[in-house]
Amino acid sequence: MNATAIPQTKQFYLQLLELGYNVAFITGRRDTQRNATVGNLHNEGFTNYVTLILREPSEYSLSAFAYKSARRKQLAEEGWEIVGSIGDQLSDIDGDYAGYRMKVPNPCYYIA
């Protein structure tokens, strides 16, 4: 799996690191894609993050909105203060525990 980073996401990530924030990634990719996802993140320069959350088998049937909202809630319950969420899909930023929300454009696809 090889995907180019969305420039705004990369810029925001670098700014967060400069400001001393910890970064967690929540992706809709399945856990079976972990190695490819980690490799892709590293190839694109995303090497300094605390956690990478992928869908586990029990979450495969959840909508993107339900899955990402539940995972953000889990992070908050674990003590994370979620300052903001960024993504190219509304499911990345909608729902509870999203903090500041930044939607970036992606002309390639849209998840309804």
Side-chain angles (χ1 to χ4, degrees):
M1 181 172 297
N2 186 13
T4 304
I6 298 169
Q8 297 92 334
T9 303
K10 179 76 178 284
Q11 180 182 12
F12 188 57
Y13 164 82
L14 293 172
Q15 289 174 344
L16 289 173
L17 294 179
E18 276 185 34
L19 294 169
Y21 287 101
N22 291 320
V23 174
F25 288 112
I26 302 174
T27 178
R29 295 179 183 180
R30 293 181 175 203
D31 58 345
T32 56
Q33 297 174 310
R34 177 170 295 279
N35 290 340
T37 302
V38 168
N40 190 225
L41 285 169
H42 284 220
N43 289 340
E44 291 297 311
F46 295 92
T47 58
N48 189 7
Y49 53 90
V50 176
T51 190
L52 169 63
I53 300 170
L54 293 93
R55 285 182 191 248
E56 296 176 1
S58 63
E59 299 167 316
Y60 289 175
S61 64
L62 295 176
S63 69
F65 171 82
Y67 158 69
K68 291 181 180 180
S69 293
R71 285 308 196 116
R72 286 193 306 266
K73 179 180 179 186
Q74 179 183 8
L75 286 173
E77 289 172 347
E78 291 172 3
W80 283 71
E81 179 183 352
I82 301 174
V83 176
S85 299
I86 182 173
D88 63 337
Q89 302 298 315
L90 290 176
S91 61
D92 297 327
I93 62 173
D94 281 350
D96 294 333
Y97 304 97
Y100 173 79
R101 302 154 201 258
M102 184 173 10
K103 167 78 170 67
V104 295
N106 183 348
C108 296
Y109 73 97
Y110 173 75
I111 298 174

